[in-house]
């Protein structure tokens, strides 16, 4: 190795550890059981990484930050261990699936934030929410936790994740309002049922997204909202590469949110807009 190689590796390794300290600090906000000496070192490390900015973060900002940290560490670890994995989401590691579930709940937090500006969207939180690709039910359970009137139906085709979802739901206290079943969105046959739908297009090939939209329109009620997620394409070339790789390894294909917008408008959705976050871009619209 050259003299310039190892210092760079050491700096990158340091950054990974600093990122883990930031995530640990956020998670300890809701955990008072940690030994005070350990907590002090974690907090000190997080301040070395970020300064005092983390102390001033509100709940949504802290949630987004934690999602970014957990997603980066989980994605990095999985990529390092399984660089030969193809274009699919057939992950069997329970810890990795649970980590993705914890990260995914920020999607519903973002939906609630968007709804603050759209009264018609706020009304959907008292109806039935379809969580497509529910995984371990992270989004579904966050919806039930934060919206007391909402009913949630999660669907997925990956049975290992659904097994964890059923366990998480049973232990959550929301099993009367949340369910999870093995169903391909392209086989959805309900009519006039859902007031709000989440569709993570980053896990789906283009023809499946097209078919899913058709099924969702049929299954939605008057004034229902569809929120489609797609990984954000950053301006930074390296981060853009990672976003593209993440989409491909997740089984997805579409990387341009405007393509999603066009698909939705072609099916009658109105007031279709974009909400961009560092991790995901939300394309949302109302079905008159």
């Amino acid at each position: 190795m050259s003299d310039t190689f190892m210092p760079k590796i050491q700096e990158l390794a340091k950054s990974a550890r600093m990122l883990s300290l930031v995530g640990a600090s956020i998670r300890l906000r809701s955990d008072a059981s940690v030994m005070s000496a350990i907590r002090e070192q974690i907090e000190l490390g997080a301040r070395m990484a970020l300064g005092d900015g983390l102390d001033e973060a509100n709940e949504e900002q802290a949630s987004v930050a934690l999602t970014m940290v957990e997603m980066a560490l989980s994605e990095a670890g999985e990529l390092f261990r399984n660089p030969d994995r193809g274009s699919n989401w057939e992950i069997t590691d329970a810890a990795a699936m649970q980590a993705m579930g914890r990260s995914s709940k920020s999607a519903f937090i973002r939906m609630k934030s968007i709804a603050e500006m759209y009264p018609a969207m706020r009304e959907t939180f008292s109806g039935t929410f379809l969580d497509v690709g529910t995984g371990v039910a992270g989004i579904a359970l966050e919806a039930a936790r934060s919206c007391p009137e909402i009913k949630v139906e999660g669907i997925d085709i990956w049975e290992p994740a659904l097994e964890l979802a059923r366990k998480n739901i049973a232990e959550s206290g929301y099993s009367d309002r949340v369910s999870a079943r093995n169903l391909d969105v392209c086989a959805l046959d309900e009519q006039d049922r859902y007031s709000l739908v989440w569709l993570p297009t980053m896990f789906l090939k283009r023809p499946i997204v097209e078919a899913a939209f058709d099924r969702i329109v049929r299954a939605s009620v008057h004034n229902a909202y569809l929120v489609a997620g797609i990984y954000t394409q950053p301006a930074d070339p390296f981060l853009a590469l990672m976003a593209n790789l993440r989409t491909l390894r997740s089984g997805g294909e579409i990387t341009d949110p405007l393509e999603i917008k066009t698909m939705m408008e072609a099916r009658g959705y109105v007031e279709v807009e974009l909400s961009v976050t560092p991790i995901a871009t939300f394309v949302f619209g109302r079905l008159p």
Side-chain angles (χ1 to χ4, degrees):
M1 296 183 182
S2 69
D3 291 340
T4 59
F5 186 81
M6 283 306 297
K8 185 63 175 178
I9 291 293
Q10 290 173 337
E11 189 64 27
L12 291 170
K14 175 183 174 181
S15 296
R17 290 175 170 85
M18 293 177 80
L19 190 62
S20 69
L21 283 166
V22 170
S25 176
I26 297 173
R27 294 185 69 178
L28 287 181
R29 286 183 171 191
S30 58
D31 186 351
S33 66
V34 179
M35 184 187 303
S36 60
I38 293 177
R39 179 186 290 272
E40 288 172 6
Q41 292 300 303
I42 290 174
E43 295 296 339
L44 178 60
R47 286 190 173 86
M48 287 181 176
L50 290 182
D52 295 329
L54 194 57
D55 295 332
E56 301 169 0
N58 60 33
E59 181 181 354
E60 182 178 354
Q61 291 168 333
S63 176
V64 171
L66 183 59
T67 298
M68 293 176 68
V69 170
E70 188 155 25
M71 187 173 177
L73 295 176
S74 177
E75 179 182 52
E78 197 279 329
L79 177 59
F80 176 72
R81 291 188 299 272
N82 305 297
D84 57 342
R85 181 170 65 80
S87 179
N88 57 60
W89 197 86
E90 294 182 352
I91 297 173
T92 57
D93 181 77
M97 286 190 285
Q98 293 284 36
M100 292 186 73
R102 289 191 296 271
S103 299
S104 70
K105 72 178 185 179
S106 67
F108 195 81
I109 294 173
R110 185 61 181 177
M111 281 187 251
K112 284 200 70 180
S113 178
I114 293 171
E116 290 299 314
M117 299 178 287
Y118 298 90
M121 188 174 182
R122 287 201 300 274
E123 291 178 7
T124 68
F125 296 154
S126 59
T128 302
F129 170 41
L130 176 64
D131 178 23
V132 179
T134 194
V136 300
I139 291 175
L141 291 174
E142 176 59 24
R145 185 199 68 80
S146 61
C147 300
E149 297 181 359
I150 205 168
K151 293 183 179 179
V152 189
E153 296 181 11
I155 62 172
D156 209 309
I157 59 172
W158 187 232
E159 191 59 36
L162 283 170
E163 289 180 11
L164 291 173
R166 296 181 189 110
K167 179 176 181 291
N168 292 339
I169 292 168
E171 296 174 352
S172 70
Y174 303 117
S175 59
D176 59 328
R177 292 190 287 122
V178 182
S179 63
R181 57 178 167 149
N182 193 320
L183 179 71
D184 190 325
V185 66
C186 294
L188 186 70
D189 61 2
E190 278 77 4
Q191 293 188 39
D192 303 324
R193 181 173 181 81
Y194 302 109
S195 61
L196 177 65
V197 179
W198 163 250
L199 182 71
T201 67
M202 59 280 276
F203 298 105
L204 308 171
K205 293 290 191 292
R206 185 176 286 102
I208 295 177
V209 174
E210 296 268 15
F213 280 158
D214 292 336
R215 293 283 180 159
I216 289 167
V217 167
R218 184 169 176 264
S220 296
V221 300
H222 173 65
N223 276 337
Y225 266 79
L226 168 61
V227 183
I230 187 169
Y231 287 129
T232 297
Q233 292 288 303
D236 180 278
F238 176 77
L239 294 179
L241 179 150
M242 288 302 300
N244 287 334
L245 181 60
R246 187 181 307 125
T247 296
L248 290 172
R249 295 184 85 242
S250 297
E253 183 178 6
I254 302 171
T255 58
D256 185 355
L258 294 181
E259 185 174 353
I260 300 296
K261 182 176 186 289
T262 299
M263 289 180 183
M264 290 175 61
E265 290 174 337
R267 287 163 175 81
Y269 284 91
V270 298
E271 301 161 9
V272 181
E273 298 187 40
L274 276 61
S275 175
V276 182
T277 74
I279 300 170
T281 294
F282 297 79
V283 187
F284 59 97
R286 181 175 61 85
L287 190 66

